[in-house]
Amino acid sequence: MIEKGDRMREERLKDIREKLQLYPIRTIKIEDMKLELEELELGEILKSHGYEEAVQCSPTCKNNDELIYKKNSLKSRIAYYETVNKRVDNWLNLIKTLKAKEAIICIYINKMSKTQAAKRLDRCRRQIDNLVRQGEEEIYNSIYNKSENFHKVS
């Protein structure tokens, strides 16, 4: 029978793995959204030929609510994805074991297979599994044992 604490630990580890796996996808989405935002801003400038059209397309015009909403939404999503990726970067910096950190980066960030990571790090697949598990544990302990770490410093 799985205890409540073990279940919560597994859910948290699953959340960590998910955020690690989505790092490269978020990076691509961030770049794409920045380009879309730039496209909207440039399109807004290019579409207004005369003064009246420029006034109608200005951010203060009420007829332009949809465009303003879309731009603000893109800016918010970009900020959110950048924040999540910065947290993942911080997590990677929390891993003390260099080989575990390299294994996490190979598997999750660079999307290598375990075989490719094993060749690159000169390890076997089982060692890669162990290093990834060790890195995940270090991240988990750094994040969720904050109260213990706080008391050690005090």
Side-chain angles (χ1 to χ4, degrees):
M1 184 173 166
I2 298 176
E3 294 182 27
K4 184 179 180 181
D6 290 338
R7 195 172 331 130
M8 187 178 353
R9 178 182 171 80
E10 285 304 314
E11 286 176 18
R12 288 176 171 174
L13 279 169
K14 183 179 177 183
D15 184 53
I16 289 170
R17 289 181 192 115
E18 182 180 299
K19 284 190 169 109
L20 286 167
Q21 287 173 338
L22 293 175
Y23 183 94
I25 295 168
R26 278 191 303 270
T27 304
I28 293 168
K29 282 185 175 184
I30 289 168
E31 187 62 33
D32 186 55
M33 286 188 287
K34 284 181 179 179
L35 290 171
E36 187 177 348
L37 184 62
E38 188 177 335
E39 182 182 345
L40 285 173
E41 290 171 350
L42 290 173
E44 190 176 16
I45 293 169
L46 292 174
K47 285 181 183 175
S48 59
H49 298 292
Y51 174 76
E52 281 132 21
E53 289 179 29
V55 170
Q56 286 293 319
C57 291
S58 74
T60 55
C61 181
K62 291 182 181 179
N63 295 337
N64 211 13
D65 287 344
E66 186 178 334
L67 183 64
I68 292 170
Y69 172 77
K70 189 167 185 173
K71 286 167 58 175
N72 288 339
S73 176
L74 281 170
K75 288 177 185 176
S76 297
R77 280 189 283 157
I78 289 168
Y80 173 75
Y81 286 153
E82 285 177 339
T83 303
V84 173
N85 276 2
K86 285 178 189 174
R87 285 189 66 209
V88 170
D89 290 334
N90 288 339
W91 292 353
L92 294 173
N93 291 331
L94 293 172
I95 301 173
K96 294 175 182 89
T97 312
L98 183 62
K99 287 294 181 185
K101 182 177 181 177
E102 289 175 349
I104 292 275
I105 290 172
C106 285
I107 298 295
Y108 288 117
I109 309 300
N110 297 336
K111 295 290 187 190
M112 291 182 175
S113 68
K114 289 178 185 172
T115 305
Q116 291 171 323
K119 286 180 184 176
R120 181 170 182 191
L121 299 177
D122 199 27
R123 299 277 190 258
C124 68
R125 286 174 49 98
R126 188 174 42 172
Q127 288 174 319
I128 295 296
D129 282 337
N130 291 337
L131 287 170
V132 168
R133 195 173 309 112
Q134 179 184 355
E136 291 170 351
E137 289 293 327
E138 286 186 37
I139 291 170
Y140 176 85
N141 290 332
S142 298
I143 294 172
Y144 295 108
N145 292 338
K146 286 181 182 175
S147 58
E148 294 172 13
N149 292 338
F150 178 73
H151 295 300
K152 288 178 187 174
V153 174
S154 306

